[in-house]
Amino acid sequence: MGKTKTAEISGEVEKKKKTKPAGTKEAKAPGLKGGERVAAVSGEPLPEESNEEAKDTKKDTKKTEPKVRGKKYQDARAKIDKTKTYPLADAVKLVKDASFAKFDATVELHATVKKEGLSVNVDLPHATGMKKKIEVADESTLKKLKDGKVDFDVLLATADMMPKLVPFAKILGPKGLMPNPKNGTLIKDAKDADKFSASTMTIKTERKAPLVHTVVGKVSQEDKELVENIKTVIAAVGERQIVKAYLTATMSPSVRLSL
């Protein structure tokens, strides 16, 4: 009779005589000596979830989780009837009342218009409270543009600088920063920069959507100033071109205007 050998797998030990049916070969397990064989094999453990699969599962969970608003937002939201549209003066008061930011929040106008590609220049009667960095184009400006750096809000240029700015039209154009005579950013002399009004702005629709977004002032401003700024923007865009418009303050819920 052959020798009896044992192999321990998953904590189990079994003994069997070394016998095999005629005409069959016995597979040897790696690491066993000649004449030794595996007597018992337990079931294979389930494969662990890969890191990539775990990440995908977490992403799916985040997508399905509903967004939970804070108590301050919910309290502000309760002041506004979403089924109503409000006259401009009432909307301004309501937006200011619903603002809960600890800082001087910015008041914004958002509108859906009838067509894309809309672009108008507006000179607001009152400052919006937003500080703008105005730069007169020179050689240092060209160097920054070559590096793809745009650190100004308004770019003014004299006629002799315009040909040098043309190569950067793809950078300046989409941002509404390309100087032109229509919005007063093409000046005769660098000294004329002092006469430029920072309240002048260019209002454009999004690149691929008929949507307009613009700042009209600060919550700390008088209601009258905000109303006059908003009326100026609406008149420039064209009231008939506006499908619907909303007024909101930073982090606060919006109020729909009745036009």
Side-chain angles (χ1 to χ4, degrees), residues 77-238:
R77 174 70 181 78
K79 298 177 181 180
I80 302 169
D81 187 348
K82 285 292 183 181
T83 64
K84 289 178 59 178
T85 58
Y86 294 85
L88 182 53
D90 294 343
V92 168
K93 290 180 180 178
L94 190 52
V95 165
K96 293 177 72 172
D97 184 47
S99 176
F100 57 87
K102 294 181 180 180
F103 52 87
D104 189 8
T106 299
V107 181
E108 303 168 354
L109 177 68
H110 302 272
T112 302
V113 295
K114 293 181 179 180
K115 61 180 181 179
E116 297 177 21
L118 178 68
S119 179
V120 294
N121 298 312
V122 182
D123 190 4
L124 299 179
H126 306 284
T128 61
M130 303 288 289
K131 292 183 178 180
K132 293 184 179 182
K133 183 179 178 181
I134 301 173
E135 183 167 327
V136 180
D138 55 17
E139 294 300 324
S140 62
T141 305
L142 299 179
K143 187 178 183 303
K144 286 192 295 184
L145 292 174
K146 285 179 181 178
D147 296 334
K149 185 179 179 182
V150 178
D151 60 354
F152 44 82
D153 301 304
V154 178
L155 182 63
L156 306 180
T158 53
D160 61 314
M161 282 298 298
M162 286 303 295
K164 298 180 180 180
L165 291 173
V166 171
F168 307 105
K170 290 183 179 180
I171 298 175
L172 299 172
K175 297 179 182 294
L177 295 175
M178 193 68 181
N180 66 79
K182 291 183 179 180
N183 59 12
T185 51
L186 185 61
I187 55 179
K188 293 181 179 180
D189 189 88
K191 295 179 181 179
D192 293 336
D194 296 333
K195 303 175 183 178
F196 182 80
S197 174
S199 296
T200 300
M201 62 172 63
T202 300
I203 299 176
K204 302 176 70 174
T205 54
E206 287 186 9
R207 191 172 183 181
K208 295 183 179 181
L211 301 173
V212 169
H213 315 283
T214 187
V215 173
V216 292
K218 290 283 188 177
V219 168
S220 61
Q221 284 183 252
E222 294 182 6
D223 291 7
K224 181 183 177 182
E225 290 185 0
L226 290 172
V227 168
E228 290 178 355
N229 277 356
I230 296 166
K231 282 184 176 179
T232 302
V233 172
I234 291 174
V237 173

Side-chain angles (χ1 to χ4, degrees), residues 28 41 45 50 56 71 154 208 233 242 247 258:
K28 293 182 180 180
V41 180
S50 67
D56 291 340
K71 187 178 184 301
V154 178
K208 295 183 179 181
V233 172
I242 300 175
L247 203 61
S258 57

